[in-house]
Amino acid sequence: MKKLSDRQKTLIKWLCVLVLVGLIIYVFRDMAGPIMSQLVKTSPVVVAAILGATLLYGVIESCITFILMRQVENNMTFFDANIMTYFVSFYRVSTLGSGTIVASTLFMKHCRIQPSKALGLYSIDYAIHKMTICVMAVALFLANREYMLGVFGKYSSYVVLGVIATILITMAIVLFACWPPFHRFLRWLLEKADALFKGRFTKQIDSLSEQTAMMEDATRVVLKKPWLIVVVMLLDICKFACWFAIPYIVCHNLCDMNIVTSIGITAMSVMLAAVIPMPGGIGSSELVMTAIYSGLVGSAAAGAMALLYRFATFMFPFIIGAFTAIFFKRFKRYKAAQNEKQGIPDGDSMADTDS
């Protein structure tokens, strides 16, 4: 079977997104006018508040990057971490998620962080990120169980299935990122498949061995300072609270929910949307959030809120990130000059192996 090129994969991703967006437009076709009417009514104060929440999210995300990457490179600054947050956001949107790791590695290379260490720590960060969403959603659901059951109503069975699926996916991500015995088990499975299919999986085995070695190195760094996991998870909770509070900011005067309950509903919606395999989560989050919030604030307000949520969490960071991408060459020169002053090698001349 012929392997798909990167261009073909990107085209398939965009086709999937267009199909789901088309489905959403069809389902809510009668609500287009009311949704636009609600968007027009949105006050500048509300827009400023949700953009402010997104900027605060970016600051906390930068703190997490700064704390983790300082474990392997003392010269990385908070300014570097903040620029990286939006640089990665730009490539996450423009490549529908597939360029995130490449962008992160490229940026961190110019901060003198070896690609292997960067990838390992990035994987640990992602595992904690997914675990935090799962913990927030389940904890807040249980804390407001009666209200939540009333909100999700007819979707309760889907919620249970979604929670189970998300927990299993999150466990797999955490095990893949942190647990060497799980790595050995995966290699054993691939070796058995390779023997069965006469060498078809040799490249995958080599790639898996390389990736798991990176993550095991990163795990050793983190386990030496277990407080790192606690700090990163607490910062993740604060970070997600900024985004998950956006529906409350937009719709708080339309229903009787408080901000904590709203954060719980949004966390559960985002967790359920993540089960839908769409590139970059485009369309899936809007579909789930609109369906859930419609019972609380009406379809028009829920649709308008979902679009504002998407703009604040997806397009706004992308727009800021576009400027960091445009001026990335200038950043490279700035870092090169800093490195030269300190008598250390520039990122472009670094070997891609650990010293």
Side-chain angles (χ1 to χ4, degrees):
M1 184 177 176
K2 188 178 178 181
K3 189 176 179 180
L4 293 173
S5 66
D6 290 339
R7 186 175 180 180
Q8 288 172 322
K9 290 177 182 177
T10 301
L11 181 61
I12 290 171
K13 284 183 180 180
W14 279 107
L15 284 173
C16 290
V17 169
L18 290 173
V19 168
L20 185 56
V21 169
L23 178 62
I24 292 171
I25 292 171
Y26 177 76
V27 171
F28 296 101
R29 62 192 182 282
D30 296 331
M31 296 304 302
I35 288 173
M36 288 305 298
S37 179
Q38 286 290 332
L39 283 173
V40 171
K41 291 178 184 177
T42 304
S43 74
V45 174
V46 169
V47 174
I50 64 176
L51 296 184
T54 296
L55 289 173
L56 185 55
Y57 177 102
V59 170
I60 301 172
E61 174 71 12
S62 302
C63 288
I64 294 170
T65 300
F66 175 71
I67 290 168
L68 285 174
M69 298 310 158
R70 287 281 289 192
Q71 306 310 309
V72 294
E73 177 48 64
N74 289 329
N75 291 313
M76 187 174 192
T77 66
F78 180 77
F79 173 76
D80 297 336
N82 195 236
I83 295 295
M84 176 181 158
T85 295
Y86 292 105
F87 181 78
V88 172
S89 293
F90 172 77
Y91 282 99
R92 180 183 295 117
V93 175
S94 58
T95 64
L96 296 179
S98 60
T100 304
I101 293 177
V102 174
S104 302
T105 305
L106 173 65
F107 193 95
M108 285 188 275
K109 183 179 178 182
H110 291 286
C111 295
R112 298 186 61 252
I113 299 175
Q114 297 284 357
S116 58
K117 292 178 179 177
L119 281 169
L121 285 171
Y122 190 86
S123 299
I124 297 290
D125 182 26
Y126 183 70
I128 298 172
H129 169 107
K130 297 295 289 185
M131 187 167 60
T132 303
I133 294 177
C134 189
V135 169
M136 284 182 72
V138 173
L140 291 174
F141 185 91
L142 294 175
N144 300 276
R145 188 166 58 89
E146 289 185 10
Y147 187 88
M148 291 288 193
L149 287 174
V151 170
F152 288 93
K154 61 182 179 181
Y155 301 108
S156 296
S157 57
Y158 296 107
V159 169
V160 172
L161 290 174
V163 168
I164 293 171
T166 304
I167 290 173
L168 291 175
I169 292 168
T170 303
M171 285 177 60
I173 291 170
V174 172
L175 290 173
F176 185 69
C178 308
W179 202 36
F182 188 65
H183 300 163
R184 291 192 289 272
F185 173 69
L186 290 177
R187 281 196 292 269
W188 177 80
L189 283 180
L190 272 178
E191 284 166 1
K192 291 294 182 183
D194 190 58
L196 183 63
F197 290 96
K198 299 179 181 179
R200 187 173 179 179
F201 295 97
T202 303
K203 288 183 180 179
Q204 285 82 353
I205 292 171
D206 292 340
S207 177
L208 178 66
S209 298
E210 184 180 351
Q211 290 177 27
T212 53
M214 293 176 191
M215 285 183 283
E216 286 169 18
D217 287 343
T219 302
R220 280 191 286 271
V221 170
V222 172
L223 289 180
K224 286 179 183 176
K225 300 176 181 178
W227 57 267
L228 270 176
I229 298 174
V230 177
V231 170
V232 170
M233 198 162 186
L234 288 174
L235 286 171
D236 270 334
I237 290 172
C238 295
K239 176 182 78 174
F240 289 126
C242 295
W243 271 5
F244 296 167
I246 288 175
Y248 177 80
I249 295 171
V250 177
C251 301
H252 68 278
N253 60 339
L254 299 177
C255 62
D256 62 349
M257 66 179 174
N258 59 49
I259 188 169
V260 176
T261 303
S262 179
I263 289 173
I265 294 171
T266 308
M268 184 63 70
S269 300
V270 169
M271 188 178 77
L272 295 175
V275 178
I276 303 172
M278 287 303 298
I282 298 176
S284 56
S285 297
E286 289 86 343
L287 185 63
V288 175
M289 289 178 69
T290 301
I292 298 302
Y293 273 98
S294 290
L296 288 170
V297 298
S299 298
M305 177 275 295
L307 291 177
L308 287 169
Y309 180 88
R310 173 57 68 184
F311 176 78
T313 62
F314 201 71
M315 292 308 301
F316 185 51
F318 168 79
I319 292 167
I320 299 174
F323 289 98
T324 66
I326 290 168
F327 293 106
F328 184 59
K329 285 188 177 180
R330 184 173 294 183
F331 174 81
K332 286 167 60 178
R333 289 196 297 269
Y334 163 74
K335 294 302 293 185
Q338 275 193 331
N339 293 338
E340 189 177 351
K341 283 181 183 178
Q342 297 176 37
I344 52 182
D346 178 42
D348 283 326
S349 60
M350 287 174 62
D352 285 348
T353 57
D354 291 328
S355 54

